[in-house]
Amino acid sequence: MVYDVTIDGKSYRLELERAEGGWACRLDGREIEVDAVLARPDVLSLRIGNKAYEIKSEHVGSDWHVWVGSARFASEVRDPRSLRSRARAADDQGPKKLTAPMPGKVVRVLVKEGDEVEAGAGVLVVEAMKMQNEIKSPKKGTIQKMLAAEGVAVNAGDVLAIVE
Amino acid sequence: MFKKILIANRGEIAVRVIRACHEMGIAAVAVYSDVDRAALHVRKADEAYAIGAAAAAESYLNIGKILEVARRSGAEAIHPGYGFLSENARFAQACVDAGVKFIGPTAAAMDAMGSKTRARQAMERAGVPLVPGTSRGLESIQQAEEVAARIGYPVMLKAAAGGGGKGMRLVHAPDQLKSSLEAAGSEAERSFGDSEVYIEKAIVNPRHVEMQVLADEHGNTLYLGERECSLQRRHQKVLEEAPSPIVDADMRRRMGEVAVRVAQAANYTNAGTVEFLVDQQKNFYFLEMNTRLQVEHPVTELVTGLDLVHLQIRIAAGEKLPFMQEEVSIRGHAMECRIYAEDPDNNYFPSPGKITLLLAPSGPGIRRDSGMYEGWTVPMDYDPLLAKLIGYGTDREQAIARLTRALSEYFVGGIKTNISLFRRILSDADFRAAKLDTGFLDRLLKQKQDGEKADQKEDAQAQVAAIAAGIFAGLGVSAAAAGERANGGSEEKVQPAARWKSASRREALR
C-alpha cells in the first residue's frame, strides 16, 4: 500500500507492506523497521527499531488526530490512487459551511441571509456550559443561507450557516 | 449511624460521597436530571431517582423535589456536595423542617458567613485580622472616595453577596472609582439580586491560602492544616496543594487558631474552610468562609491521612471528633489538578461531547476522583469539571514528579481538556520554585502565545505520527480486534474475536 500522509500540514509518502513478523515500511523512500500491536481500538503500541511509543487515534467531528505520547498531530491519510482525494484540493473556493463546534444553544444570530461578511466577522453566538462562543465567518463573502435560529439547540457538527 | 444517605449532587463529588457511604456500610441514594441518566454517579448508587429537566433550577437546585426523594427513599441524611444547594441556608433549614439531617453547618451558621459584609462584622468582633476596608456596604461615592483615600490605592470593590469573581472590580486610581463602583453594583444586582458593594485594600500579588476546619456538635473545633490555592484563572481555582510552600509550623498554628476562632464565632459545625489572603510579608487576612466541603479537600486528606467525608458523616450523626488537635499532623505533600472539559486552544471554552477514548493513570502516589467514563457524553448543562487528579509524595518535588508522570499517562479522547495546561504549569521554573501568587496563571497564559506553537513537538515525532497514521489506515482500525498483533499473518488470531462478535449478534437477534 502507498499512502499520502499529512501530519500537521506536512506531507509524507508512506509505503507499507505486511511482512513476516512486522511491516516493511518506507517513509519518503527511507526504509524503517516497524512493529505494531493494536492494544485496543484507537491505541497502538508501536516499535520503531527498539524505541517504543504509545499512539492514540482520536476523531473529533471531521478531524483526525494522532497522538504520539502527549503531542497531538492533525492527520490525514489518502490513497493517491483514489480519484476522490485528488478532487479535494479544489475545495477552498466556493461556499463554506459554518458548523457548531460543540453541542449548545444558539443564543444570537448576528447577520441575516444576503448580508456581506468579512473573514473573521461574527455570524452567530452559541452557548454551552454557561459560556458564549462567537462563530466567525471563515471567509469574506455573502451569507447564502442562515440555517440556525435563536433559541435552537444544536449538536456538534451541525451546519449553522453557509457563506458564499 | 445513618443507614441511608441521599446525595444531592452529580459528577465526581457525587461519586466521591457514594464511595464514602459504601465504605461506611451506608446505602447511597442518587438523584439525576434528564441529561444525567447515564452519569457515573447513577451507576454507582444503590438507588436513583429522576428529579427533572437539565436546567439546575428544575433539578439539582429544586429543594422540593430533592426532599420528596428523601421522603420516598427513606434517606435519613442529605449530603449536598459542593456547588448547587451546598451553601443554601434555606435548603439546610428545609431539611431540618422535613426531619432529614443536612450534612453540613446549620442555616444560621451559613447565614452568618453568607454575606461578606456581615461575616466581616462578626470577624471584627472576634478579633480576626481583616484586610483594611469597610465592613458595611458603601452608601455613596463620597464615602467610597474617603475610604479609598484613607486605606490607599489600589482598592478592591466587592459584592457583599458575591463569589466566583462576580461583582468584583480592582481600582488603581481615584478617577476610576465612580465607574467601577457603578459597574460592580449593577453586576452584583444582576448576579445575586443584591447590589451591596464594599471596599477593601487590594493586596498586591497575594497568595490565596485556606485553612480546613472541622467542628463537631459538642463544641470541639479543630484545624487540619492549610491548602495553597493561588493558581487561579478568573478567580476560579485550577491547581491546589497542601501544605502551602510558604507556611511553616508556627504560621500554620497561628492561622489555624484564627480559623478556629472564625468557625466558633459563627457557631459553626461540620467541615468548613476559612480563606485567607497572604501578602508578600506573610501577613494573613481573613477573606471568607466556605461553608461546605471544598473541591480540593483530597489534598488535605492525603497529607493528614483523614477522610473528610467519613468525618462529615460521623459529625452529622452526632459523634464527637475522634482525635485532638495535637494528633493532627501533616506528612508529605499533595497536589491536585482540576481536569476540565475545556479547550486550551479556544480560550478555555467549555468542550462538552462524547468521550471516545479514556486512558486513566494510576500507580504510586496517584489518586483520581473522576465522574467520567469512556463512551459517556459530557452534558453541556453543568460545570465542566470532569475529574481531579491528585499526586502525593514525600515532598513537593516528588508530588510534582508523580503528577507529571500521571498526566503523561492520562488521555481523554473525543473532547478537549485542560490536561496540557497542567503539563505547562508543572514544568514552569517559577512554579517549581513555589513562587506563586494569584496572578501566576494569567502571566503564564500570556507567555503562551509566543512559545506554544513550538510546543516540544519534534520532527521525529511527526514521522512517528505519519507511520502510525498509515498503520491505523492499513488496519481499518474499527474492524480490527484489540490485542491483535497488528503485523503480518495474524488471520487466525482475529478469528476468536470475529466468532465472539457473530455470536453476540445472534444473541441480540433472539
Side-chain angles (χ1 to χ4, degrees):
Chain A
M1 287 287 248
V2 180
Y3 297 111
D4 281 338
V5 183
T6 312
I7 299 294
D8 276 359
K10 195 174 168 201
S11 295
Y12 300 84
R13 167 147 297 212
L14 182 69
E15 295 160 61
L16 270 181
E17 290 301 334
R18 282 180 191 249
E20 196 53 44
W23 297 80
C25 169
R26 291 167 92 77
L27 186 67
D28 290 336
R30 193 159 50 88
E31 204 160 315
I32 296 174
E33 191 189 323
V34 175
D35 165 36
V37 169
L38 191 66
R40 44 153 299 163
D42 295 336
V43 180
L44 200 61
S45 167
L46 196 64
R47 283 176 64 242
I48 297 178
N50 288 320
K51 283 198 185 279
Y53 301 91
E54 186 179 71
I55 312 286
K56 277 86 69 172
S57 158
E58 181 192 31
H59 293 272
V60 182
S62 55
D63 295 337
W64 184 35
H65 299 139
V66 170
W67 294 72
V68 179
S70 303
R72 185 184 71 193
F73 295 93
S75 308
E76 226 178 297
V77 174
R78 282 184 308 271
D79 182 346
R81 290 169 305 181
S82 126
L83 285 171
R84 210 164 12 137
S85 61
R86 262 178 248 165
R88 207 178 279 179
D91 208 32
D92 277 353
Q93 305 296 316
K96 278 274 180 195
K97 290 172 183 168
L98 270 73
T99 55
M102 71 204 73
K105 207 167 103 179
V106 177
V107 290
R108 245 173 308 147
V109 175
L110 304 169
V111 298
K112 54 183 191 304
E113 276 179 21
D115 281 2
E116 302 270 325
V117 289
E118 292 294 321
V123 176
L124 22 77
V125 180
V126 175
E127 186 182 89
M129 288 173 161
K130 292 175 186 147
M131 281 193 59
Q132 301 197 339
N133 192 22
E134 197 174 62
I135 312 293
K136 297 180 172 74
S137 176
K139 59 179 262 185
K140 180 179 159 74
T142 314
I143 301 292
Q144 189 189 53
K145 258 200 159 56
M146 175 56 68
L147 299 157
E150 283 179 14
V152 169
V154 292
N155 286 315
D158 281 3
V159 179
L160 305 174
I162 296 172
V163 187
E164 171 75 81
Chain B
M1 182 48 63
F2 307 116
K3 293 194 174 59
K4 194 183 274 189
I5 291 177
L6 185 155
I7 296 105
N9 216 302
R10 64 180 300 282
E12 68 84 20
I13 192 60
V15 176
R16 163 77 185 90
V17 177
I18 290 168
R19 284 175 169 156
C21 288
H22 288 165
E23 286 157 12
M24 298 175 77
I26 300 168
V29 180
V31 291
Y32 62 92
S33 74
D34 291 350
V35 294
D36 269 345
R37 172 60 189 86
L40 190 61
H41 74 283
V42 177
R43 288 173 50 190
K44 298 295 174 199
D46 300 296
E47 295 177 33
Y49 295 81
I51 48 166
E58 303 283 316
S59 47
Y60 298 107
L61 287 174
N62 191 312
I63 294 175
K65 283 182 186 165
I66 287 167
L67 286 176
E68 171 61 16
V69 171
R71 195 189 59 75
R72 277 171 60 199
S73 64
E76 304 148 272
I78 297 182
H79 195 299
Y82 51 70
F84 293 125
L85 290 170
S86 62
E87 295 184 274
N88 186 315
R90 213 156 50 78
F91 180 60
Q93 189 55 47
C95 288
V96 172
D97 296 343
V100 183
K101 181 72 185 186
F102 177 81
I103 302 175
T106 60
M110 278 190 207
D111 268 337
M113 290 298 171
S115 154
K116 294 192 178 183
T117 46
R118 244 178 301 152
R120 266 189 79 107
Q121 291 159 34
M123 292 315 119
E124 238 167 22
R125 284 195 299 275
V128 167
L130 297 171
V131 178
T134 57
S135 296
R136 290 176 201 289
L138 292 165
E139 277 149 24
S140 64
I141 176 69
Q142 288 79 18
Q143 188 203 359
E145 281 167 349
E146 277 168 33
V147 177
R150 180 160 50 79
I151 61 179
Y153 285 88
V155 296
M156 190 70 98
L157 298 171
K158 289 185 172 181
K166 293 262 168 58
M168 252 164 86
R169 288 289 185 284
L170 179 64
V171 184
H172 290 282
D175 61 331
Q176 302 162 356
L177 189 62
K178 188 163 186 289
S179 63
S180 297
L181 185 62
E182 284 161 3
S186 67
E187 194 172 299
E189 178 67 44
R190 257 181 292 131
S191 302
F192 312 111
D194 178 357
S195 64
E196 187 179 344
V197 171
Y198 66 104
I199 193 167
E200 273 180 7
K201 184 170 176 61
I203 308 286
V204 181
N205 296 337
R207 285 181 179 241
H208 180 125
V209 179
E210 60 185 28
M211 185 62 71
Q212 177 71 50
V213 296
L214 271 184
D216 66 20
E217 296 173 0
H218 306 276
N220 304 303
T221 306
L222 307 180
Y223 62 90
L224 303 185
E226 77 289 349
R227 293 182 288 258
E228 166 89 46
C229 305
S230 297
L231 258 66
Q232 307 186 349
R233 218 184 115 254
R234 296 184 191 155
H235 303 284
Q236 295 282 353
K237 294 165 191 166
V238 170
L239 181 146
E240 305 94 347
E241 59 185 295
S244 164
I246 54 151
V247 175
D248 57 20
D250 176 60
M251 185 172 172
R252 179 170 306 123
R253 185 185 48 74
R254 285 187 290 122
M255 267 181 127
E257 285 169 4
V258 168
V260 166
R261 242 187 297 156
V262 168
Q264 285 171 337
N267 284 321
Y268 197 85
T269 50
N270 218 292
T273 294
V274 180
E275 298 193 332
F276 295 97
L277 280 184
V278 181
D279 69 16
Q280 282 155 330
Q281 289 73 46
K282 294 196 191 181
N283 299 308
F284 58 88
Y285 304 98
F286 172 76
L287 192 61
E288 61 177 306
M289 181 160 188
N290 292 310
T291 58
R292 58 158 195 276
L293 184 71
Q294 298 277 85
V295 176
E296 59 273 24
H297 73 276
V299 294
T300 298
E301 295 187 320
L302 290 175
V303 297
T304 58
L306 299 168
D307 188 304
L308 290 181
V309 179
H310 283 212
L311 289 164
Q312 280 195 295
I313 293 171
R314 291 192 182 288
I315 289 169
E319 292 184 18
K320 283 188 178 167
L321 280 170
F323 48 83
M324 320 264 266
Q325 187 64 61
E326 307 80 70
E327 295 171 78
V328 177
S329 63
I330 308 292
R331 184 164 167 267
H333 200 99
M335 199 175 274
E336 172 185 276
C337 301
R338 297 190 184 193
I339 311 296
Y340 283 109
E342 52 185 27
D343 185 357
D345 299 329
N346 186 14
N347 202 22
Y348 293 89
F349 195 80
S351 166
K354 185 169 177 173
I355 297 169
T356 55
L357 177 61
L358 180 60
L359 304 177
S362 56
I366 292 302
R367 166 172 168 180
R368 190 165 37 83
D369 282 19
S370 168
M372 64 176 155
Y373 60 89
E374 187 174 301
W376 180 56
T377 299
V378 183
M380 60 171 187
D381 309 85
Y382 309 106
D383 184 90
L385 180 67
L386 295 170
K388 302 179 308 205
L389 186 68
I390 308 119
Y392 175 76
T394 319
D395 51 26
R396 188 170 189 267
E397 207 180 338
Q398 193 185 53
I400 292 174
R402 284 181 163 160
L403 208 40
T404 305
R405 182 268 300 167
L407 285 166
S408 74
E409 294 177 6
Y410 215 163
F411 186 81
V412 185
I415 59 171
K416 304 283 178 53
T417 72
N418 61 349
I419 289 175
S420 62
L421 170 66
F422 293 111
R423 226 172 272 129
R424 280 183 57 87
I425 293 171
L426 295 186
S427 63
D428 182 84
D430 281 348
F431 178 80
R432 287 185 169 247
K435 290 183 193 152
L436 311 173
D437 62 68
T438 52
F440 177 91
L441 205 49
D442 285 338
R443 293 195 299 275
L444 187 80
L445 289 172
K446 261 187 213 126
Q447 291 168 22
K448 194 175 172 173
Q449 273 95 21
D450 327 326
E452 197 208 17
K453 287 301 157 205
D455 208 14
Q456 0 88 332
K457 276 197 203 175
E458 298 153 19
D459 223 34
Q461 276 188 317
Q463 292 181 15
V464 172
I467 293 166
I471 291 174
F472 275 123
L475 287 172
V477 160
S478 53
E484 178 191 348
R485 185 99 179 155
N487 299 330
S490 59
E491 253 71 88
E492 70 283 3
K493 281 181 197 159
V494 180
Q495 258 191 348
R499 261 207 307 275
W500 178 84
K501 260 188 208 154
S502 58
S504 68
R505 268 187 221 117
R506 273 201 309 276
E507 305 259 344
L509 283 174
R510 274 209 302 245

